[in-house]
Amino acid sequence: MFDDAPDQAWLQLEQASRRARQHLREALRQAVPAVATAYMTGADALLAELVNAGAETTANELGAPLSPLQQYTTGGPLTFDQAASDLPTVNAAVREAAADLMVDLDGAFTAATARLDRAIREASNQAGFTGLARETLRNAAWNRFLDRGLTIPDNQGRNLQLGSWAEALCETRLTQTATDAYLEFAGQAGIECVVVSVSLERCTICRPWEGRLLATGDDALTAYTRAGGRPVPKGTLATAVAAGLFHPYCRHEVSAWMPGVTALPDRGPDNPGGYAAAQREREIERAIEKWERKADLALTRLDRLSASRRVNEWRAKLTEHRAVASGFLAAAQPAEAPDLAAGLAAIFQSPSTRGADTDRDADFEPGTDAVPSLGVPPAAMLAGGDPPEDVRTLRRLRQAASDAADAFTSNPNLNPDDYLLRMTAVKAQPSRTAVTYQVLDENDDPFGAITVFVTDGGDGPEVTLSAADAYQDYPTFADDVRSLATDFVDAWNASSAASPDERVSTLGVDPAGVLFEGTSRDARAVNYARSVGEQAAEAYADQFGDYVEFDDLTVVGTTTYVDFLHFPDPGDAEPAGRFRIGVTGTSDQAETVEVTYARAVNVGGDDRIDDIAAQFADAWQREVPAGAIGGRGYPVLASDMFGGSLDAVRDGMYALLEEHDYDGFTVEVASAVRTGKRWKVKGDLLVDGVSVGSFERSLEADGDRITVHHDFLSIEPEYHGSGIATSFNRHLTDWYRASGVESIRVYAALEAGGYAWARAEFEWAWESEATKMFAALTQTATAYRSMAAARRRQAAHRDTPPASAADLLARADELEAQAQAAFAFLERVDQTPWGDPNYPQPYDVSEIGRPANATRDQHWIGKETLIATSWHGVKWIND
């Protein structure tokens, strides 16, 4: 039995793995009857053509032996064992094809299941930890697996998605089985040639064979041409297949050529758009499968809701794509192929996507705008009447430029590949602003740049693309960068209808009206407070267009909790979501307005409730008069950020970071954004006006406790060791200390971050991080000792010159000394319990084997271990 509540999530993980295995077995079970069905499909197609051509007697004679197989394929569901044992012995080709497919699928599923087992073990290894540490690590391990999906290695060592691989395999094998059956019965009927169909989704591989006459074999080709048959076949079907016809997902088929009865189809003009549209549709479908898999197997409710929201977003994208591509794709969808597509696509998907919930989502309609808005109008990027060189103007423009990039990159419909846009430069003129963005991949590696102009030529502000290209080392990404840039510009121009100050709207209702501190709590006061809540809801609906209703209020001490309901349509009988706003202060003066919770009423019922709640709280918070902020020599303190005016706090953050006297560099803030009880500030570090690094910091409040997260800090390699990072972090740490910040949290992983944060005397965030690092140190020390032994053997070899042997022995002694220092350190670890003041910390690891006068470019065992191993750290500021 598990000893505490958090391990209930582990039970969910086990249940999820069982569901995954059931999906695997179900897909494998379908293989045998699927081959039989494919065979029947090919045979039936030929027999139907014979009937249509008037040869009904011949068709009946040929089809008579197929009766047992027909009954088998139209019967009820079979168990795994029955599927193979009950297959009628109609034709050896059916049984042989089914066996081949079974073997391939079984091998693939065996390999994939092994990977599933490894993922489960990786997640289960976290079960010994406690509290949030265990829950976080377990979920992270499982989510990494779900992101990858179930994969198998191919012959070239690549990891392929099992669902896509199996579907492609089955598509190919079953198409081949159906074609073989068709040709088998065509040969029995004396048919020598077939015609390849014409498809709107043709590709360059199939185009040469479309609408062409092909002989069923070499003998048939010889007989047909000798008899003077016309038109002359382009070749044999085997030749066309070898050249790529009937590739996976090919939409072509063949039909019997009966001279005087059938005619060659019109090949029509080339239609590259049809193939591109089909490929895009499959890409979207793969994204839907991915998020359905994550929704089904998520360990937490939050992850499940998030994945369900992404499923709906991608389904909307699929609906939009089909509407746009309707001119390229066939008007009628092809009948469902008798293959494994449904079963194999179901691997790791939620059962609800195949049942009643599918019908519920079938009517999901995307937004009316073809291009979603970013919520940041182009007008916000113009200086207007403000001096373009003024620092406050530039700050406002940088904030707007960063907000637009964040809105674009966070929208999966606009940015399905999860690329990042990082604003790097803003240059303003009276009627034109140029903005440059760096394009980064999902690993935060830059591979291109985009520059846009925002101008006002008299017809209103407009965003135009100036330049977009990949960096020299990434030429293959050029099309991606240009496509991303075009989508970004289109989305930004679609935001023109928004009011320039829409993001800073207020409700015009004083939140102090719902407070009772300093006044009586009689019926009259309560009714007044309720009316204020109703007014706030009406004002929000008028300002932002989302219909909310006041529900109730609860008073606890100096805080009033106000509940609101969200209705997507004012006529809805039931709300889709609810949220609670906590207002703290007195009846004369409110101090803070914040979101307490926001949740959907039904799973997947309200995927915007978090954004609506945060927007409501921000708008109501703006009614709180700006009080005095700052102190202790700083323009703003961390405690001011969660109760003061948004604009005043933002100005204070600009002053704090940009107006400090650093040594040899400056700081430029790109944006400062508040969401609920969390602030995120990001910007650039500049030398002589040129960015040499970037940073991202978050501050989070939990009651009176404030925690800072050092999310990101990257310095160009040529500036490593220049003191920029040290000076920047020292300034912020002094501010944290003066602000009463409790702790700083880091994830030491990027570049030399593992070593840098250790030298900055960060401690282990929890014991598991120390255990992981010490295990890595053990491996490194063992490797050092092995390298030392290898160098001694090489030095002792009779062919090694004396001078080289001396160098090898000296290096072996160095390596052995480093290994001994590490093992001595590990003995100290074994003798010191976690929580002891003398327990070894990351700084102690950095000192292992460190030379007395170490330089920045030198390496030693402690440094190498820290650089190679990621870890979570904490520094206590005011504990």
Side-chain angles (χ1 to χ4, degrees), residues 811-853:
R811 180 55 180 156
D813 291 342
E814 293 175 4
L815 291 169
E816 180 61 32
Q818 294 267 315
Q820 289 180 2
F823 285 122
F825 175 88
L826 291 168
E827 288 182 8
R828 173 187 160 197
V829 171
D830 292 338
Q831 297 169 4
T832 311
W834 172 259
D836 189 292
N838 295 318
Y839 189 84
Q841 295 294 338
Y843 182 86
D844 301 313
V845 177
S846 75
E847 287 287 309
I848 302 173
R850 189 174 190 266
N853 298 308

Side-chain angles (χ1 to χ4, degrees), residues 355-373:
D357 286 348
T358 302
D359 297 332
R360 180 196 65 194
D361 294 328
D363 295 330
F364 180 85
E365 292 292 336
T368 55
D369 294 334
V371 181
S373 167

